Amino acid sequence: MESYIQQLFAERIGGKTFGKGTALYKFEKIKRAKRAAITAHPHVELIDLGVGEPDEMALPLSVRALSEEAQKPENRGYADNGGPEYRRAAAQWMERVFGVKGLDPETEVLHSIGSKAALSVLPATLINPGDVVIMTVPGYPVFGTHAKWYGGEVYDLKLTEENGFLPDLASIPRDVLKRTKVIVLNYPNNPTGASATTEFFAHAVEFAHKNKLVIVSDAAYGALVFDGKPLSILSVPGAKDVAVELHSMSKAFNMTGWRLGFVCGNPLLVSAYANVKDNTDSGQFLAIQKACAATLAHPEITAKIAAKYSRRMDVLVACLRKFGFHATKPKGSFFLYVRAPNVVMDGDGNRTAFKSAEDVSQWLITQKLISTVPWDDAGAYLRFSVTFVAKGEADERRVVGEIDKRFTGLTFEFGNDA
Ligand SMILES: Cc1ncc(COP(=O)(O)O)c(C=O)c1O
């Protein structure tokens, strides 16, 4: 007999039908295809370019600091919204890395248990039923998901190649704009790898002022830049009147599992975030906060990590271009976003046609044991992440050389409609 609990689920997670759908989500499909490919070819290495997190550990100085701080009794309890060391270190890091001066650690910076947690807490501070949030697609949907759970609506703005993967704010219809409270921006962007420009951020800030909107700038990849300087929206004059920015230890310092980031910028928004956060979690372990404060004093760690990704990008871009992919090295993040082919032909002239990027990705996993992430939201694209597992430069070249070998003899065709 079915548990009565099945009848109690909220509509936001599917109500009575929760867990009964047969539709497979993208990442689950990828996981299953990978498992099947490994079972079918146990002796072939699966090259995983689908991973969205660093392939290496945090640096020894961070691990050592954590080990020391974890032994101190004063760090044992609830951190709540406190922990002055990390707030102070974050404000200093914003100045040193992004040139954002004068953030008040007391009122304009507050930690988060990773930027995902901040994106899930912030909607409660602003969204009433019927309010609109502008999200960019393809993108990281967490803020929009929670906004919908509060009765809000999401308006998707497409990121296209012609616009350098920057949203066209002028294209938002008037009636939507009237009901809009928040725009979520994410640069360097997941999945397109695109970076914002100062001009775009200035335009977005002006747009927000004019239309009385809040900007949430998700800068989870903000410091991971290999062409130009890291850019914060808060470096634009007037941004602090309209924006908060989210930063994270995850990608910049190889610390995804540590779960720490911070929200900074407009003090009213930071205080509202503090209010909801205080009712949501009890703060990150102070030993982690203090170890991360010590880590933030070393921006050269991020520069080194970025240099590794840059090097890997160069070889991957060259390899993909050789086979006809329109691959352009991004200026930051670890994502290379390329148009998906619509046909592949093997050496015997056998053609396989694809209807979507998801089709291509499934084919690459099952036929070539190469895993990528497909995006079909705004054209058909594949995301290759340079966080693939490799130990040192020679091994990196070997991995990409392996892709080259597996593609040799294939001809990819790219339609004009992507
Ligand atoms: C765009 C974007 N924002 C936020 C996050 C969450 O990062 P974290 O919670 O580890 O800081 C991710 C992680 O993949 C991301 O891609």
Side-chain angles (χ1 to χ4, degrees):
M1 206 180 72
E2 185 174 86
S3 163
Y4 64 84
I5 294 169
Q6 188 70 46
Q7 304 301 310
L8 305 182
F9 288 122
E11 297 308 326
R12 70 176 65 88
I13 62 160
K16 295 177 182 129
T17 60
F18 167 72
K20 295 189 166 181
T22 49
L24 281 183
Y25 293 102
K26 184 165 74 181
F27 288 96
E28 182 55 30
K29 262 194 188 164
I30 294 171
K31 226 191 269 172
R32 291 191 187 190
K34 277 183 359 189
R35 251 185 270 136
I38 291 168
T39 309
H41 307 278
H43 304 298
V44 183
E45 177 188 12
L46 184 121
I47 299 176
D48 201 344
L49 297 146
V51 192
E53 62 177 318
D55 59 314
E56 287 189 90
M57 274 187 70
L59 267 77
L61 80 91
S62 311
V63 177
R64 257 196 319 271
L66 174 61
S67 148
E68 281 162 22
E69 296 296 341
Q71 294 174 52
K72 298 180 183 166
E74 67 268 29
N75 290 336
R76 75 187 186 288
Y78 292 122
D80 296 328
N81 285 346
E85 295 83 359
Y86 186 66
R87 288 175 158 198
R88 269 187 235 127
Q92 280 163 9
W93 185 75
M94 287 300 295
E95 176 163 356
R96 202 163 156 196
V97 174
F98 296 92
V100 174
K101 292 198 179 101
L103 278 175
D104 180 348
E106 289 304 314
T107 57
E108 296 174 345
V109 183
L110 188 62
H111 86 276
S112 66
I113 303 184
S115 36
K116 186 175 190 176
L119 288 165
S120 69
V121 165
L122 280 166
T125 66
L126 292 160
I127 304 303
N128 285 326
D131 292 341
V132 176
V133 178
I134 308 286
M135 300 288 294
T136 54
V137 287
Y140 190 73
V142 175
F143 189 108
T145 303
H146 284 262
K148 283 192 251 177
W149 289 352
Y150 288 110
E153 284 172 36
V154 170
Y155 183 81
D156 288 335
L157 263 191
K158 287 191 177 174
L159 300 181
T160 62
E161 218 162 319
E162 306 84 76
N163 283 341
F165 301 111
L166 298 171
D168 178 7
L169 301 176
S171 72
I172 304 167
R174 266 182 170 283
D175 56 317
V176 174
L177 197 53
K178 264 198 239 150
R179 294 188 293 124
T180 299
K181 275 191 176 167
V182 185
I183 299 185
V184 180
L185 298 173
N186 163 229
Y187 292 100
N189 182 258
N190 176 9
T192 68
S195 288
T197 56
T198 308
E199 295 71 41
F200 171 73
F201 273 159
H203 166 60
V205 166
E206 192 192 329
F207 187 84
H209 268 286
K210 193 169 146 213
N211 295 290
K212 297 194 167 58
L213 309 176
V214 163
I215 297 177
V216 172
S217 166
D218 173 358
Y221 301 86
L224 265 190
V225 166
F226 29 81
D227 183 357
K229 285 199 184 124
L231 179 65
S232 161
I233 198 166
L234 298 174
S235 63
V236 167
K240 212 157 72 174
D241 299 332
V242 298
V244 277
E245 190 159 81
L246 275 44
H247 287 273
S248 172
M249 303 303 292
S250 291
K251 328 280 167 145
F253 295 98
N254 293 347
M255 294 176 121
T256 40
W258 293 50
R259 310 312 304 136
L260 195 67
F262 61 90
V263 175
C264 63
N266 183 277
L268 249 185
L269 289 167
V270 170
S271 76
Y273 164 69
N275 180 304
V276 178
K277 181 185 172 303
D278 203 24
N279 284 287
T280 306
D281 64 61
S282 299
Q284 183 51 280
F285 185 25
L286 282 170
I288 290 180
Q289 290 197 38
K290 289 181 184 175
C292 287
T295 305
L296 285 176
H298 294 276
E300 74 280 2
I301 295 174
T302 312
K304 230 174 125 191
I305 294 170
K308 179 181 89 174
Y309 295 145
S310 174
R311 192 174 71 213
R312 291 178 171 203
M313 277 290 176
D314 287 334
V315 271
L316 183 61
V317 165
C319 169
L320 292 176
R321 280 178 165 267
K322 186 174 150 190
F323 294 97
F325 286 82
H326 304 257
T328 309
K329 185 183 178 183
K331 292 182 160 67
S333 83
F334 41 61
F335 298 125
L336 179 62
Y337 188 69
V338 295
R339 267 174 57 195
N342 51 3
V343 171
V344 63
M345 194 165 66
D346 68 17
D348 300 325
N350 301 311
R351 290 164 66 86
T352 306
F354 303 113
K355 285 200 287 297
S356 62
E358 188 163 303
D359 274 2
V360 182
S361 154
Q362 289 287 311
W363 182 88
L364 280 173
I365 297 173
T366 53
Q367 304 302 309
K368 298 291 159 191
L369 277 90
I370 296 171
S371 177
T372 60
V373 177
W375 299 84
D376 285 297
D377 310 63
Y381 285 82
L382 296 172
R383 191 192 77 181
F384 292 76
S385 177
V386 293
T387 53
F388 56 82
V389 176
K391 284 263 167 280
E393 282 188 60
D395 199 29
E396 288 166 10
R397 282 197 299 273
R398 180 196 65 77
V399 171
V400 177
E402 202 37 57
I403 300 172
D404 189 305
K405 266 191 228 156
R406 295 183 197 184
F407 280 4
T408 296
L410 300 175
T411 309
F412 295 99
E413 292 176 15
F414 299 82
N416 301 319
D417 54 345

